[in-house]
Amino acid sequence: MTTEEKPDPRTLLNRETARIGWSELERHFASGAMVTVSHELDLVEVGARFIEDDKKAVAAWLEGGYLRRTGEEEAQRWSAQDATLWCVVVAPWVLVQEPR
């Protein structure tokens, strides 16, 4: 690989995706940086589209309800359950998805 070639963001994000407890994620919710990804979507693919600035795909997911800012009800439920979520950071966003 030459210095000009960039690795596929999916490969990088796959390595950086982890299950993280709500207590560690709560501050990101409080700052408004958390986005919930539905089970119909692949978390890594969504992160890659954010990195690639694929506005069309992101807009379609938002319109379809597959992607949304994490809401207060979700946050309260996750806090009460001390939930563990799949997470990947695509600065400034923290993308989360409930495990199946």
Side-chain angles (χ1 to χ4, degrees):
M1 179 175 5
T2 68
T3 56
E4 291 183 28
E5 291 179 38
K6 293 184 180 180
D8 180 39
R10 288 153 191 83
T11 302
L12 297 173
L13 291 174
N14 196 45
R15 290 184 207 143
E16 296 174 4
T17 302
R19 289 181 69 159
I20 301 178
W22 176 251
S23 59
E24 297 175 63
L25 293 169
E26 195 167 16
R27 66 186 171 98
H28 299 290
F29 168 73
S31 72
M34 187 173 286
V35 176
T36 300
V37 179
S38 77
H39 285 115
E40 289 82 10
L41 300 177
D42 180 273
L43 183 63
V44 170
E45 183 63 27
V46 172
R49 298 294 183 99
F50 270 59
I51 289 171
E52 295 165 349
D53 199 26
D54 187 343
K55 291 177 177 75
K56 186 176 178 179
V58 172
W61 291 332
L62 286 166
E63 284 180 36
Y66 299 106
L67 194 64
R68 65 189 177 287
R69 286 270 179 108
T70 303
E72 190 67 38
E73 281 185 26
E74 282 175 309
Q76 289 174 356
R77 180 170 46 84
W78 293 336
S79 179
Q81 296 171 348
D82 193 24
T84 300
L85 306 169
W86 281 108
C87 175
V88 67
V89 176
V90 182
W93 305 107
V94 176
L95 307 179
V96 296
Q97 188 176 54
E98 288 187 83
R100 289 188 177 200

